[in-house]
Amino acid sequence: MSAPSLKGQPWLESTASKAVMAALETAGGPDCARYVGGCVRNALLGATVDDVDIATQLEPQQVLAALKSAKIRAVPTGIEHGTITAIVNSLPFEITSLRRDVETDGRRAVVAFTRDWFEDAARRDFRLNALYANSRGELFDPTGYGLEDADQRRIVFVGEPEQRIREDYLRILRFYRFWAWYGRGAVDAEGHAACRKLADGVATLSAERVSKEFLKLLAAPDPVAAVDAMDEAGVLRVILPRLDRTSFAAMVAITPDPILRLLALLPLSAEGLAEEAKRLRLSNAQRDRMKDSAVMLDADMSAPQARAMIWKDGLSAFVDRTYRTEATGIAPQNMQALRQMALNWTVPSMPVGGRDLAQAGFKPGPMTGKVLKAFEKSWVADDFPSDGVEARLQAAIAQVSLSENG
């Protein structure tokens, strides 16, 4: 294919991008720095560009000096591996010196800096990610296949797949993740075979790296084919030993939420979910969400029962439960109706409080709490009526007083 140009891309033409590239080129000469990776790939694929990364022939200390001279804020985010982050107009630009691997162990690498663009490209994961563009938007394809892969939407390892994987086993998950997001057609056979052969290497990675990468994969518009391929290669069971795919395809069809899609690959029990969340080292918020969603809803749940559950456990937990129940095939139409009701319902506030009891002659203390709980129980059971508040409060007072007086 003829080499396109990225000229006109908003991120490339922005004042911030131009300022960073000008600072580097002033120090190192024309084309000493090039955009690389996701921004180039996504621009070619017509996808959103979220981050702008730059590769440069300058070494880290030279990058720091260049940014300082241009009065651009520099943060040494990964200086031991050659990475400096430049901040312009609150926008980050990750700048990394060209590198070649000296030593790798499947999780981290010892690198040496180089000025050779081909050496830098040779250590990258996929040919599609080894594309560079200079400040004018002119493209550079060191592997000779990156542009063609972009045109055909192929995800192919740079060089020998097994070697790339042994350098960092996370590349197994990235292979399937990029195919889920950007691939078209069948998975690359050679890469897939290498992932199958080296699948156990994923177990050597930190749980945090694995779960973060896997959730990115599950967020793809339709990750079913990628998950199928991971399962066939034996990769999926390394990540999820308790794998249960029964409701996964159905969950993908009804929600793009990666956490809910992950839930559809896990056991239904609360205990099983808690163990998996711990093993995957999910965040506290993600862990709590998984725990809250463990409840399966009754097929014939009514709207009043649903509102009572929302009052008790919260809207988010209830909505997650409707998705999980629907994905298992239980009363899908009712689950959809309940979910829509929940999203449209404004949860009311308790119509009485301690001040109302104080006006009724109650002093703050245990009796106050008991009366409010009695009122709340009755009010929720009757589906949150807005009228009859005074009568309900008197009934609660009478009930608690009777109980207290034996």
Side-chain angles (χ1 to χ4, degrees):
M1 60 179 289
S2 60
S5 169
L6 299 187
K7 188 175 178 62
Q9 284 283 325
W11 57 268
L12 183 132
E13 305 292 349
S14 73
T15 302
S17 294
K18 288 180 178 293
V20 174
M21 292 298 271
L24 298 174
E25 292 185 337
T26 296
D31 289 353
C32 75
R34 291 170 175 163
Y35 299 105
V36 68
C39 59
V40 179
R41 176 197 67 232
N42 284 19
L44 288 171
L45 297 178
T48 302
V49 173
D50 295 317
D51 303 303
V52 178
D53 295 339
I54 297 170
T56 181
Q57 293 174 320
L58 298 174
E59 294 195 6
Q61 293 302 326
Q62 293 175 305
V63 172
L64 287 172
L67 295 175
K68 182 178 180 180
S69 295
K71 297 182 179 180
I72 293 174
R73 182 186 170 201
V75 182
T77 44
I79 194 168
E80 68 279 4
H81 293 104
T83 301
I84 309 293
T85 299
I87 310 291
V88 181
N89 299 334
S90 300
L91 298 174
F93 294 80
E94 193 169 275
I95 305 167
T96 303
S97 300
L98 303 190
R99 302 174 294 183
R100 58 182 173 82
D101 289 333
V102 175
E103 181 182 336
T104 60
D105 65 2
R107 291 180 296 174
R108 60 186 69 84
V110 176
V111 300
F113 302 124
T114 178
R115 293 182 59 82
D116 190 327
W117 295 97
F118 290 89
E119 281 190 314
D120 188 74
R123 68 176 299 280
R124 294 184 179 271
D125 49 11
F126 311 114
R127 300 182 318 201
L128 186 62
N129 289 339
L131 289 168
Y132 304 76
N134 63 20
S135 58
R136 300 176 299 282
E138 297 167 345
L139 287 154
F140 178 48
D141 184 6
T143 72
Y145 296 98
L147 289 171
E148 184 179 334
D149 286 349
D151 184 55
Q152 299 298 315
R153 288 184 172 265
R154 295 186 301 236
I155 308 302
V156 182
F157 283 99
V158 172
E160 172 55 45
E162 287 190 27
Q163 182 180 346
R164 294 284 82 74
I165 291 171
R166 292 183 192 279
E167 290 167 354
D168 185 351
Y169 288 109
L170 192 70
R171 286 174 172 170
I172 291 177
L173 302 189
R174 286 173 60 83
F175 175 70
Y176 295 110
R177 194 247 290 186
F178 280 108
W179 184 53
W181 275 98
Y182 307 118
R184 185 170 61 202
V187 67
D188 177 66
E190 188 177 0
H192 185 46
C195 291
R196 182 188 301 111
K197 180 177 179 179
L198 301 174
D200 288 342
V202 173
T204 68
L205 300 169
S206 71
E208 292 88 348
R209 291 185 77 199
V210 170
S211 59
K212 182 178 180 180
E213 190 68 31
F214 190 48
L215 286 172
K216 288 181 180 179
L217 185 155
L218 292 178
D222 185 358
V224 172
V227 169
D228 286 346
M230 292 174 70
D231 198 6
E232 191 278 330
V235 174
L236 198 56
R237 289 190 180 274
V238 176
I239 302 172
L240 304 174
R242 296 167 177 259
L243 178 68
D244 181 351
R245 295 188 52 191
T246 307
S247 62
F248 179 66
M251 186 69 87
V252 169
I254 61 178
T255 176
D257 191 304
I259 288 291
L260 290 173
R261 290 174 172 184
L262 174 61
L263 281 168
L265 292 168
L266 295 174
L268 291 174
S269 71
E271 179 183 359
L273 286 179
E275 291 181 8
E276 286 301 298
K278 181 178 179 180
R279 192 181 59 78
L280 290 169
R281 301 285 182 87
L282 298 179
S283 69
N284 290 341
Q286 291 169 333
R287 178 202 63 203
D288 292 344
R289 186 180 176 192
M290 291 178 70
K291 178 182 176 182
D292 288 343
S293 68
V295 177
M296 297 292 287
L297 304 182
D298 292 336
D300 57 354
M301 174 177 263
S302 67
Q305 289 173 323
R307 286 189 282 270
M309 181 176 283
I310 295 168
W311 175 265
K312 177 176 178 289
D313 298 333
L315 175 63
S316 295
F318 178 79
V319 169
D320 283 353
R321 292 168 189 173
T322 65
Y323 278 118
R324 195 147 188 252
T325 305
E326 180 184 348
T328 63
I330 296 175
Q333 291 184 333
N334 193 32
M335 292 304 112
Q336 292 165 18
L338 290 175
R339 184 164 60 248
Q340 193 60 50
M341 178 280 299
L343 293 172
N344 291 334
W345 184 48
T346 300
V347 180
S349 299
M350 268 274 282
V352 298
R355 179 177 298 179
D356 300 282
L357 288 176
Q359 291 175 350
F362 271 82
K363 294 181 179 180
M367 280 284 285
T368 298
K370 290 179 180 179
V371 170
L372 290 176
K373 285 184 179 178
F375 178 94
E376 179 185 19
K377 182 177 180 181
S378 169
W379 181 61
V380 172
D382 287 342
D383 199 21
F384 310 93
S386 59
D387 56 356
V389 172
E390 182 61 31
R392 190 179 301 276
L393 179 58
Q394 292 303 319
I397 292 172
Q399 175 188 338
V400 172
S401 296
L402 181 63
S403 174
E404 289 293 312
N405 294 327

